[in-house]
mmCIF file with all atom_site columns, all heavy atoms in Angstrom:
data_model
loop_
_atom_site.group_PDB
_atom_site.id
_atom_site.type_symbol
_atom_site.label_atom_id
_atom_site.label_alt_id
_atom_site.label_comp_id
_atom_site.label_asym_id
_atom_site.label_entity_id
_atom_site.label_seq_id
_atom_site.pdbx_PDB_ins_code
_atom_site.Cartn_x
_atom_site.Cartn_y
_atom_site.Cartn_z
_atom_site.occupancy
_atom_site.B_iso_or_equiv
_atom_site.pdbx_formal_charge
_atom_site.auth_seq_id
_atom_site.auth_comp_id
_atom_site.auth_asym_id
_atom_site.auth_atom_id
_atom_site.pdbx_PDB_model_num
ATOM 1  N N   . GLY T 1 421 ? -78.065 -74.378 11.842 1.00 94.00 ? 421 GLY T N   1
ATOM 2  C CA  . GLY T 1 421 ? -79.085 -73.744 11.008 1.00 94.00 ? 421 GLY T CA  1
ATOM 3  C C   . GLY T 1 421 ? -78.616 -73.753 9.573  1.00 94.00 ? 421 GLY T C   1
ATOM 4  O O   . GLY T 1 421 ? -77.464 -73.482 9.299  1.00 94.00 ? 421 GLY T O   1
ATOM 5  N N   . ILE T 1 422 ? -79.514 -74.136 8.650  1.00 95.00 ? 422 ILE T N   1
ATOM 6  C CA  . ILE T 1 422 ? -79.127 -74.230 7.238  1.00 95.00 ? 422 ILE T CA  1
ATOM 7  C C   . ILE T 1 422 ? -80.194 -73.567 6.381  1.00 95.00 ? 422 ILE T C   1
ATOM 8  O O   . ILE T 1 422 ? -81.378 -73.894 6.507  1.00 95.00 ? 422 ILE T O   1
ATOM 9  C CB  . ILE T 1 422 ? -79.040 -75.712 6.784  1.00 95.00 ? 422 ILE T CB  1
ATOM 10 C CG1 . ILE T 1 422 ? -78.361 -76.551 7.857  1.00 95.00 ? 422 ILE T CG1 1
ATOM 11 C CG2 . ILE T 1 422 ? -78.324 -75.832 5.445  1.00 95.00 ? 422 ILE T CG2 1
ATOM 12 C CD1 . ILE T 1 422 ? -78.901 -77.961 7.895  1.00 95.00 ? 422 ILE T CD1 1
ATOM 13 N N   . PRO T 1 423 ? -79.785 -72.679 5.480  1.00 96.00 ? 423 PRO T N   1
ATOM 14 C CA  . PRO T 1 423 ? -80.750 -72.126 4.538  1.00 96.00 ? 423 PRO T CA  1
ATOM 15 C C   . PRO T 1 423 ? -81.343 -73.246 3.688  1.00 96.00 ? 423 PRO T C   1
ATOM 16 O O   . PRO T 1 423 ? -80.656 -74.198 3.338  1.00 96.00 ? 423 PRO T O   1
ATOM 17 C CB  . PRO T 1 423 ? -79.912 -71.193 3.670  1.00 96.00 ? 423 PRO T CB  1
ATOM 18 C CG  . PRO T 1 423 ? -78.717 -70.869 4.493  1.00 96.00 ? 423 PRO T CG  1
ATOM 19 C CD  . PRO T 1 423 ? -78.451 -72.092 5.299  1.00 96.00 ? 423 PRO T CD  1
ATOM 20 N N   . ASP T 1 424 ? -82.630 -73.118 3.390  1.00 96.00 ? 424 ASP T N   1
ATOM 21 C CA  . ASP T 1 424 ? -83.296 -74.158 2.620  1.00 96.00 ? 424 ASP T CA  1
ATOM 22 C C   . ASP T 1 424 ? -84.390 -73.505 1.784  1.00 96.00 ? 424 ASP T C   1
ATOM 23 O O   . ASP T 1 424 ? -85.557 -73.500 2.150  1.00 96.00 ? 424 ASP T O   1
ATOM 24 C CB  . ASP T 1 424 ? -83.891 -75.197 3.594  1.00 96.00 ? 424 ASP T CB  1
ATOM 25 C CG  . ASP T 1 424 ? -84.521 -76.355 2.834  1.00 96.00 ? 424 ASP T CG  1
ATOM 26 O OD1 . ASP T 1 424 ? -84.235 -76.514 1.634  1.00 96.00 ? 424 ASP T OD1 1
ATOM 27 O OD2 . ASP T 1 424 ? -85.306 -77.082 3.454  1.00 96.00 ? 424 ASP T OD2 1
ATOM 28 N N   . LEU T 1 425 ? -83.986 -72.953 0.665  1.00 96.00 ? 425 LEU T N   1
ATOM 29 C CA  . LEU T 1 425 ? -84.928 -72.180 -0.157 1.00 96.00 ? 425 LEU T CA  1
ATOM 30 C C   . LEU T 1 425 ? -86.058 -73.028 -0.703 1.00 96.00 ? 425 LEU T C   1
ATOM 31 O O   . LEU T 1 425 ? -87.172 -72.562 -0.879 1.00 96.00 ? 425 LEU T O   1
ATOM 32 C CB  . LEU T 1 425 ? -84.184 -71.528 -1.326 1.00 96.00 ? 425 LEU T CB  1
ATOM 33 C CG  . LEU T 1 425 ? -83.161 -70.452 -0.959 1.00 96.00 ? 425 LEU T CG  1
ATOM 34 C CD1 . LEU T 1 425 ? -82.434 -69.972 -2.203 1.00 96.00 ? 425 LEU T CD1 1
ATOM 35 C CD2 . LEU T 1 425 ? -83.830 -69.288 -0.256 1.00 96.00 ? 425 LEU T CD2 1
ATOM 36 N N   . GLU T 1 426 ? -85.753 -74.275 -1.015 1.00 94.00 ? 426 GLU T N   1
ATOM 37 C CA  . GLU T 1 426 ? -86.788 -75.092 -1.665 1.00 94.00 ? 426 GLU T CA  1
ATOM 38 C C   . GLU T 1 426 ? -87.518 -76.021 -0.701 1.00 94.00 ? 426 GLU T C   1
ATOM 39 O O   . GLU T 1 426 ? -88.268 -76.892 -1.137 1.00 94.00 ? 426 GLU T O   1
ATOM 40 C CB  . GLU T 1 426 ? -86.162 -75.907 -2.800 1.00 94.00 ? 426 GLU T CB  1
ATOM 41 C CG  . GLU T 1 426 ? -86.062 -75.122 -4.086 1.00 94.00 ? 426 GLU T CG  1
ATOM 42 C CD  . GLU T 1 426 ? -84.626 -75.053 -4.567 1.00 94.00 ? 426 GLU T CD  1
ATOM 43 O OE1 . GLU T 1 426 ? -83.857 -76.001 -4.299 1.00 94.00 ? 426 GLU T OE1 1
ATOM 44 O OE2 . GLU T 1 426 ? -84.257 -74.041 -5.184 1.00 94.00 ? 426 GLU T OE2 1
ATOM 45 N N   . ASP T 1 427 ? -87.258 -75.854 0.574  1.00 93.00 ? 427 ASP T N   1
ATOM 46 C CA  . ASP T 1 427 ? -87.942 -76.671 1.560  1.00 93.00 ? 427 ASP T CA  1
ATOM 47 C C   . ASP T 1 427 ? -87.700 -78.161 1.307  1.00 93.00 ? 427 ASP T C   1
ATOM 48 O O   . ASP T 1 427 ? -88.634 -78.949 1.174  1.00 93.00 ? 427 ASP T O   1
ATOM 49 C CB  . ASP T 1 427 ? -89.450 -76.352 1.533  1.00 93.00 ? 427 ASP T CB  1
ATOM 50 C CG  . ASP T 1 427 ? -90.160 -76.948 2.746  1.00 93.00 ? 427 ASP T CG  1
ATOM 51 O OD1 . ASP T 1 427 ? -89.456 -77.345 3.701  1.00 93.00 ? 427 ASP T OD1 1
ATOM 52 O OD2 . ASP T 1 427 ? -91.391 -77.020 2.725  1.00 93.00 ? 427 ASP T OD2 1
ATOM 53 N N   . LYS T 1 428 ? -86.424 -78.534 1.224  1.00 93.00 ? 428 LYS T N   1
ATOM 54 C CA  . LYS T 1 428 ? -86.097 -79.913 0.885  1.00 93.00 ? 428 LYS T CA  1
ATOM 55 C C   . LYS T 1 428 ? -85.463 -80.672 2.041  1.00 93.00 ? 428 LYS T C   1
ATOM 56 O O   . LYS T 1 428 ? -85.538 -81.896 2.119  1.00 93.00 ? 428 LYS T O   1
ATOM 57 C CB  . LYS T 1 428 ? -85.117 -79.936 -0.313 1.00 93.00 ? 428 LYS T CB  1
ATOM 58 C CG  . LYS T 1 428 ? -85.811 -79.681 -1.639 1.00 93.00 ? 428 LYS T CG  1
ATOM 59 C CD  . LYS T 1 428 ? -84.961 -80.113 -2.817 1.00 93.00 ? 428 LYS T CD  1
ATOM 60 C CE  . LYS T 1 428 ? -83.650 -79.380 -2.877 1.00 93.00 ? 428 LYS T CE  1
ATOM 61 N NZ  . LYS T 1 428 ? -83.135 -79.175 -4.248 1.00 93.00 ? 428 LYS T NZ  1
ATOM 62 N N   . LEU T 1 429 ? -84.787 -79.940 2.929  1.00 93.00 ? 429 LEU T N   1
ATOM 63 C CA  . LEU T 1 429 ? -84.006 -80.620 3.961  1.00 93.00 ? 429 LEU T CA  1
ATOM 64 C C   . LEU T 1 429 ? -84.896 -81.068 5.118  1.00 93.00 ? 429 LEU T C   1
ATOM 65 O O   . LEU T 1 429 ? -85.839 -80.385 5.489  1.00 93.00 ? 429 LEU T O   1
ATOM 66 C CB  . LEU T 1 429 ? -82.927 -79.671 4.493  1.00 93.00 ? 429 LEU T CB  1
ATOM 67 C CG  . LEU T 1 429 ? -82.013 -79.051 3.424  1.00 93.00 ? 429 LEU T CG  1
ATOM 68 C CD1 . LEU T 1 429 ? -81.051 -78.061 4.055  1.00 93.00 ? 429 LEU T CD1 1
ATOM 69 C CD2 . LEU T 1 429 ? -81.258 -80.150 2.685  1.00 93.00 ? 429 LEU T CD2 1
ATOM 70 N N   . SER T 1 430 ? -84.561 -82.228 5.666  1.00 92.00 ? 430 SER T N   1
ATOM 71 C CA  . SER T 1 430 ? -85.310 -82.692 6.832  1.00 92.00 ? 430 SER T CA  1
ATOM 72 C C   . SER T 1 430 ? -84.390 -83.262 7.906  1.00 92.00 ? 430 SER T C   1
ATOM 73 O O   . SER T 1 430 ? -84.803 -83.477 9.034  1.00 92.00 ? 430 SER T O   1
ATOM 74 C CB  . SER T 1 430 ? -86.350 -83.739 6.421  1.00 92.00 ? 430 SER T CB  1
ATOM 75 O OG  . SER T 1 430 ? -85.695 -84.815 5.789  1.00 92.00 ? 430 SER T OG  1
ATOM 76 N N   . GLN T 1 431 ? -83.150 -83.508 7.520  1.00 93.00 ? 431 GLN T N   1
ATOM 77 C CA  . GLN T 1 431 ? -82.241 -84.116 8.488  1.00 93.00 ? 431 GLN T CA  1
ATOM 78 C C   . GLN T 1 431 ? -80.960 -83.303 8.595  1.00 93.00 ? 431 GLN T C   1
ATOM 79 O O   . GLN T 1 431 ? -80.414 -82.842 7.584  1.00 93.00 ? 431 GLN T O   1
ATOM 80 C CB  . GLN T 1 431 ? -81.890 -85.540 8.026  1.00 93.00 ? 431 GLN T CB  1
ATOM 81 C CG  . GLN T 1 431 ? -81.523 -86.433 9.181  1.00 93.00 ? 431 GLN T CG  1
ATOM 82 C CD  . GLN T 1 431 ? -81.350 -87.882 8.743  1.00 93.00 ? 431 GLN T CD  1
ATOM 83 O OE1 . GLN T 1 431 ? -80.855 -88.146 7.641  1.00 93.00 ? 431 GLN T OE1 1
ATOM 84 N NE2 . GLN T 1 431 ? -81.726 -88.811 9.586  1.00 93.00 ? 431 GLN T NE2 1
ATOM 85 N N   . CYS T 1 432 ? -80.494 -83.097 9.811  1.00 92.00 ? 432 CYS T N   1
ATOM 86 C CA  . CYS T 1 432 ? -79.278 -82.309 10.043 1.00 92.00 ? 432 CYS T CA  1
ATOM 87 C C   . CYS T 1 432 ? -78.063 -83.031 9.495  1.00 92.00 ? 432 CYS T C   1
ATOM 88 O O   . CYS T 1 432 ? -77.876 -84.224 9.740  1.00 92.00 ? 432 CYS T O   1
ATOM 89 C CB  . CYS T 1 432 ? -79.113 -82.056 11.535 1.00 92.00 ? 432 CYS T CB  1
ATOM 90 S SG  . CYS T 1 432 ? -77.636 -81.131 11.937 1.00 92.00 ? 432 CYS T SG  1
ATOM 91 N N   . GLU T 1 433 ? -77.247 -82.293 8.766  1.00 89.00 ? 433 GLU T N   1
ATOM 92 C CA  . GLU T 1 433 ? -76.076 -82.932 8.181  1.00 89.00 ? 433 GLU T CA  1
ATOM 93 C C   . GLU T 1 433 ? -74.953 -83.156 9.209  1.00 89.00 ? 433 GLU T C   1
ATOM 94 O O   . GLU T 1 433 ? -74.066 -83.963 8.994  1.00 89.00 ? 433 GLU T O   1
ATOM 95 C CB  . GLU T 1 433 ? -75.554 -82.112 6.996  1.00 89.00 ? 433 GLU T CB  1
ATOM 96 C CG  . GLU T 1 433 ? -75.404 -80.634 7.316  1.00 89.00 ? 433 GLU T CG  1
ATOM 97 C CD  . GLU T 1 433 ? -75.304 -79.766 6.064  1.00 89.00 ? 433 GLU T CD  1
ATOM 98 O OE1 . GLU T 1 433 ? -75.465 -80.276 4.939  1.00 89.00 ? 433 GLU T OE1 1
ATOM 99 O OE2 . GLU T 1 433 ? -75.053 -78.567 6.229  1.00 89.00 ? 433 GLU T OE2 1
#
Side-chain angles (χ1 to χ4, degrees):
Chain T
I422 318 148
D424 184 16
L425 294 176
E426 276 122 30
D427 193 14
K428 282 197 300 211
L429 306 176
S430 58
Q431 206 173 36
C432 179
E433 49 198 6

